[in-house]
């Protein structure tokens, strides 16, 4: 029968206390990292998921965000309005008008699905996080509050200088150039039509009978 090997190191009385004091001394010499909130606001990352802001001008009441929400915490109400035709004899159209857009943040799990599925860029992440309430029923925020949070959404990061231009930008620029060229052509045609016609009578005397410069009249 062999004896079990003994540990090479020996623990001296008070070694644990010495290690604890060493950790305390190292911590005391470091700079404090205490966040002085709320006196000093934290520097949040640009992709912080705080709350959801609504840009209601882009909302077409397609209901995709409400249908895809796993928690069913988005409430949308709307009505239809008839839009008269722009051209005479044209056909009238109907469009949806947003009446209510609310998000119940007591149910929201901040998955971001509603922002991803929105086809018209009406929902954005805002880094705003100071919206605590004393009553859980007050965590349902209507579109006016969501609109206020929209202005706290940070600007998108700049593109890489060598990156390819997005197709949406190229299509929008091509359409704008086409419209500008059409407007310039119409303005030139209008300016040409507005010029007065010359009413000065032309001389009917043959050039051979006209007196030359210096001849007696």
């Amino acid at each position: 029968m062999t004896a079990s090997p003994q540990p090479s190191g020996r623990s001296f009385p008070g070694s644990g206390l010495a290690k604890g004091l060493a950790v305390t001394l190292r911590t005391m010499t470091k700079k404090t990292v205490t966040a002085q909130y709320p006196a000093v606001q934290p520097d949040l990352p640009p992709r912080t998921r705080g709350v959801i802001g609504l840009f209601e001008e882009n909302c077409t009441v397609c209901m995709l965000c409400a249908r895809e929400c796993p928690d069913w915490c988005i409430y949308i109400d709307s009505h239809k309005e008839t839009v008269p035709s722009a051209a005479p004899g044209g056909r009238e159209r109907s469009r949806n008008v947003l009446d209510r857009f609310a998000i119940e943040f007591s149910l929201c799990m901040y998955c971001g699905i509603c922002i991803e599925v929105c086809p018209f860029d009406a929902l954005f992440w805002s880094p705003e996080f100071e919206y605590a309430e004393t009553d859980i029923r007050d965590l349902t925020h209507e579109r006016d509050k969501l609109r206020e949070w929209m202005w706290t959404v940070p600007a998108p990061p700049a593109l890489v200088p060598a990156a390819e231009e997005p197709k949406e930008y190229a299509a929008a620029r091509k359409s704008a150039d086409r419209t500008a060229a059409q407007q310039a052509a119409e303005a030139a045609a209008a300016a040409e039509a507005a010029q007065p016609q010359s009413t000065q009578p032309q001389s009917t005397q043959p050039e051979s009978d006209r007196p030359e410069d210096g001849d007696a009249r």
Side-chain angles (χ1 to χ4, degrees):
M1 182 174 181
T2 58
S4 59
Q6 298 294 331
S8 58
R10 294 183 178 180
S11 58
F12 298 96
S15 60
L17 178 61
K19 291 180 180 179
L21 291 176
V23 173
T24 303
L25 291 175
R26 285 198 305 267
T27 306
M28 290 176 60
T29 57
K30 291 182 179 179
K31 185 180 179 181
T32 59
V33 292
T34 303
Q36 302 298 330
Y37 177 84
V40 179
Q41 293 292 323
D43 188 12
L44 300 175
R47 294 174 64 88
T48 299
R49 295 191 175 189
V51 289
I52 299 173
L54 170 67
F55 191 60
E56 59 182 282
E57 284 80 1
N58 289 353
C59 182
T60 60
V61 201
C62 64
M63 304 294 291
L64 275 177
C65 56
R67 293 192 185 104
E68 297 296 331
C69 178
D71 298 327
W72 292 87
C73 63
I74 300 178
Y75 311 120
I76 300 176
D77 293 332
S78 65
H79 68 277
K80 289 186 176 294
E81 286 186 356
T82 302
V83 180
S85 62
R91 183 179 179 183
E92 294 182 347
R93 295 185 179 182
S94 62
R95 66 183 182 94
N96 293 324
V97 179
L98 183 65
D99 293 330
R100 185 196 182 198
F101 195 108
I103 300 178
E104 189 173 353
F105 284 97
S106 61
L107 297 178
C108 178
M109 63 180 185
Y110 304 91
C111 62
I113 294 178
C114 57
I115 298 176
E116 296 295 332
V117 301
C118 180
F120 301 103
D121 292 336
L123 298 174
F124 297 87
W125 278 118
S126 166
E128 180 67 35
F129 62 94
E130 296 177 322
Y131 59 97
E133 301 288 347
T134 57
D135 191 344
I136 193 174
R137 292 172 295 183
D138 296 333
L139 284 174
T140 302
H141 294 290
E142 301 292 335
R143 66 175 182 174
D144 295 337
K145 189 64 176 180
L146 302 179
R147 174 72 175 215
E148 294 179 8
W149 285 332
M150 181 62 206
W151 309 126
T152 63
V153 175
L159 297 176
V160 179
E164 182 181 356
E165 184 182 38
K167 297 180 180 179
E168 294 82 3
Y169 289 177
R173 184 175 294 105
K174 185 181 297 184
S175 177
D177 293 343
R178 189 186 306 112
T179 303
Q182 182 179 359
Q183 292 177 353
E186 293 176 355
E192 184 178 355
Q195 290 181 356
Q197 300 292 333
S198 177
T199 57
Q200 184 178 1
Q202 301 292 332
S203 175
T204 58
Q205 185 179 3
E207 293 184 359
S208 58
D209 297 339
R210 293 179 184 176
E212 297 181 357
D213 295 341
D215 295 343
R217 295 182 181 276

